[in-house]
Amino acid sequence: MPKLQGINHQRAIRAFQKAGFWITREGKHVTMSNGYKCVTIPRNNPIDALTMGTIIIKAGLSIDAFKKLL
């Protein structure tokens, strides 16, 4: 698995929006959906690499594809 460093939650949200996700709910966490899959992004800065990797895989993206969206 390629290395992934901690990412600011706002950058992660923008990257998921480029991938076709939209914000469905906001609070302490931001919930995003693309109509089929739902991901929850914590509002931590930075989001640690393990958590971010799990969110990316749950969204159905590869780490490399997500890095290109950043």
Side-chain angles (χ1 to χ4, degrees):
M1 180 180 286
K3 296 282 184 185
L4 181 71
Q5 54 186 328
I7 297 172
N8 184 320
H9 77 276
Q10 293 169 338
R11 285 186 69 202
I13 290 170
R14 281 193 296 268
F16 279 115
Q17 286 175 333
K18 289 178 187 176
F21 285 78
W22 62 87
I23 296 173
T24 56
R25 187 172 46 208
E26 291 187 68
K28 289 184 178 180
H29 293 76
V30 177
T31 304
M32 300 183 80
S33 176
N34 68 352
Y36 301 104
K37 297 186 184 230
C38 185
V39 294
T40 303
I41 301 169
R43 289 188 184 230
N44 296 346
N45 282 326
I47 301 171
D48 66 56
L50 291 175
T51 303
M52 200 65 233
T54 304
I55 293 169
I56 292 167
I57 302 244
K58 187 178 176 187
L61 299 171
S62 68
I63 305 274
D64 290 329
F66 184 77
K67 283 184 174 182
K68 289 178 185 175
L69 294 171
L70 290 174

